[in-house]
């Protein structure tokens, strides 16, 4: 590739990157179990560590990756959940808003 064409190509790629914004490169941070919303809903990054005495709806096998609200793809280690805007939940996590995926 000649240098002029290479220069133009790089320029267009960097322009596209600027339009995409930093979100395109940085994955959203994980939800902290101590975040107010997470604490209120009993979110844990490991479903087996849920407070079973407090949350009677908890059942073995429930996890974010089989919850209706989980927006990650099957097999993803984490993904967005609308209850924790701008953050990621662990696919193995759990909270009291769990709703079994249909
Ligand atoms: Fe996980 Fe579902 Fe709770 Fe979101 S609502 S944190 S996906 S269990």
């Amino acid at each position: 590739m000649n240098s002029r064409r290479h220069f133009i190509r790089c320029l267009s790629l960097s322009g596209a990157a600027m339009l995409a914004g930093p979100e395109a490169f940085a994955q959203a941070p994980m939800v902290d179990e101590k975040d107010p919303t997470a604490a209120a809903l009993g979110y844990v990054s490991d479903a087996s560590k849920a407070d079973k005495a407090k949350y009677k709806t908890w059942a073995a096998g429930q996890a974010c990756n089989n919850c209706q609200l989980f927006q990650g793809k099957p097999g993803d280690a984490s993904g967005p959940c609308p209850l924790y805007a701008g953050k990621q939940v662990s696919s193995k996590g759990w909270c009291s808003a769990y709703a079994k995926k249909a």
Side-chain angles (χ1 to χ4, degrees), residues 10-25:
C10 287
L11 205 60
S12 65
L13 286 174
S14 62
M18 281 191 276
L19 288 175
E23 303 79 22
F25 302 100

Side-chain angles (χ1 to χ4, degrees), residues 1 6-7 14 30 34 36-37 39 50-52 67-68 91 96:
M1 182 183 304
H6 178 76
F7 174 76
S14 62
M30 296 300 290
K34 294 183 188 94
T37 307
D51 185 343
K52 292 137 193 135
C67 173
Q68 220 162 29
S91 63
S96 59

Side-chain angles (χ1 to χ4, degrees), residues 13-71:
L13 286 174
S14 62
M18 281 191 276
L19 288 175
E23 303 79 22
F25 302 100
Q27 200 174 35
M30 296 300 290
V31 171
D32 187 320
E33 294 177 8
K34 294 183 188 94
D35 279 358
T37 307
L41 292 174
Y43 172 79
V44 283
S45 59
D46 177 349
S48 70
K49 300 209 167 98
D51 185 343
K52 292 137 193 135
K54 186 171 180 183
Y55 301 107
K56 303 288 186 198
T57 57
W58 181 91
Q62 293 181 348
C64 293
N65 64 7
N66 58 39
C67 173
Q68 220 162 29
L69 297 175
F70 185 68
Q71 296 178 335

Side-chain angles (χ1 to χ4, degrees), residues 43 64 67 69-70 81 83-84 89 94-95 97-98:
Y43 172 79
C64 293
C67 173
L69 297 175
F70 185 68
C81 170
L83 299 183
Y84 309 95
V89 295
W94 183 89
C95 86
Y98 174 88

